[in-house]
Amino acid sequence: MTSARPEVPVHVAIIMDGNGRWARRRGLPRLEGHRRGVEAVRTITFAARDLGVGMLTLYAFSAENWNRPADEVGGLMGLLEFYLRKELETFVRDRVRFRTIGRIEGMPPGVRRLLAATEEATAGFTGYTLNLALNYGSRTEIADAARDYAAAVAAGREKPDDSSWETFSRYLYTAGMPDPDLVIRTSGETRISNFLLMQAAYAEFVFTPVLWPDFSKEDLAAAIAEYGRRERRYGLTSEQVGKSAAPAAQ
Ligand code: FPP
């Protein structure tokens, strides 16, 4: 998966924030903000592809979001089901590979079935991937990876003295995916909120005040342009980066 233009990030990850504030400012229920948030998901999925991005990861539901009021959690799950039912056909038509990261086994059975069907129907597409983070948290991801890695060592599938990141990262939910080059957070908040902590080790961050339901293709293009102006050094000096391509980060 390579981006056509070098200044365009291969993998963009977005913390979609501000649905609640968008609704409150209009005197609407929070769920209406989430509904408009789903519209933005649709727009940005195709905008990213049109701009030359290879993979888009969206933080749709965090492991901590279960603690929100029950009606909001139920509403979000309902929206997710509605979204998946509607989008399957679009993904197949437009050759979008659909994937997920997170503790998917903790999602409601109806949603799990739709997720599996969508992943299966789009598994053969290689040009562009939409990756939804659901019931996702970096700390649970590390804990799950450590458990699975320990089990692999106990079963003799991994060497006990191998402490390389390359090996361990194969046990993360993101195994086989490129690290995000650019992480965007909307709504003016400047936190990472337990999102891709390890994978974003060398990512560039762009924070925008735009609330997620208002986030447009132009806003995404502006974030990508900002990314293009940054110099990624991967621990090297400017002079070194100028001379040769950056080495693979460990
Ligand atoms: C933050 O807004 C957003 C979320 C809790 C998750 C994002 C969810 C969606 C965009 C809708 C569902 C997505 C799909 C793919 C069906 P917030 O409620 O925290 O906003 P606030 O900080 O203004 O209250």
Side-chain angles (χ1 to χ4, degrees):
M1 193 193 310
T2 51
S3 129
R5 285 149 281 165
E7 72 275 17
V8 175
V10 170
H11 183 181
V12 175
I14 307 184
I15 303 175
M16 307 182 287
D17 197 6
N19 296 349
R21 274 162 287 168
W22 184 94
R24 197 171 60 233
R25 284 179 196 174
R26 289 163 178 77
L28 297 168
R30 290 180 59 81
L31 198 58
E32 191 51 35
H34 294 315
R35 229 173 253 130
R36 293 297 291 259
V38 175
E39 290 308 313
V41 166
R42 287 205 174 94
T43 304
I44 295 305
T45 295
F46 291 100
R49 190 182 65 176
D50 294 350
L51 291 166
V53 170
M55 174 176 269
L56 176 70
T57 296
L58 299 176
Y59 203 2
F61 195 83
S62 77
E64 291 74 30
N65 284 153
W66 297 109
N67 299 321
R68 292 192 173 204
D71 60 340
E72 182 168 344
V73 172
L76 278 166
M77 291 303 136
L79 275 179
L80 184 58
E81 274 206 48
F82 176 75
Y83 165 81
L84 290 168
R85 279 185 207 287
K86 217 167 147 192
E87 293 306 271
L88 177 56
E89 219 174 282
T90 318
F91 292 155
V92 171
R93 190 191 61 216
D94 292 331
R95 305 182 69 77
V96 174
R97 182 169 184 193
F98 177 82
R99 298 182 72 177
T100 58
I101 51 171
R103 271 191 185 160
I104 301 303
E105 66 274 21
M107 297 296 285
V111 170
R112 280 206 319 263
R113 275 193 294 275
L114 283 165
L115 292 172
T118 311
E119 288 198 54
E120 204 185 303
T122 64
F125 303 141
T126 54
Y128 175 69
T129 302
L130 170 66
N131 187 29
L132 279 195
L134 292 166
N135 195 16
Y136 178 87
S138 278
R139 289 180 174 176
T140 51
E141 177 177 38
I142 293 287
D144 285 353
R147 176 200 59 200
D148 294 346
Y149 189 54
V153 170
R157 293 194 304 276
E158 299 288 0
K159 298 189 208 76
D161 59 349
D162 177 357
S163 61
S164 72
W165 174 250
E166 197 195 341
T167 304
F168 184 74
S169 64
R170 288 204 297 264
Y171 291 84
L172 298 172
Y173 307 139
T174 51
M177 298 179 185
D179 283 343
D181 304 291
L182 169 63
V183 177
I184 301 169
R185 184 171 188 145
T186 60
S187 91
E189 308 288 348
T190 48
R191 290 185 294 278
I192 190 163
S193 298
N194 206 13
F195 184 52
L196 299 176
L197 295 185
M198 292 293 123
Q199 297 87 340
Y202 290 96
E204 294 296 327
F205 286 78
V206 170
F207 298 101
T208 167
V210 177
L211 303 177
W212 176 251
D214 291 329
F215 193 74
S216 65
K217 182 175 182 177
E218 289 67 38
D219 295 318
L220 178 63
I224 289 175
E226 168 67 29
Y227 168 88
R229 289 190 288 273
R230 305 261 180 98
E231 179 190 65
R232 300 181 79 192
R233 289 202 294 272
Y234 301 93
L236 305 181
T237 66
S238 275
E239 291 70 29
Q240 287 174 304
V241 173
K243 275 193 206 119
S244 61
Q250 291 303 300

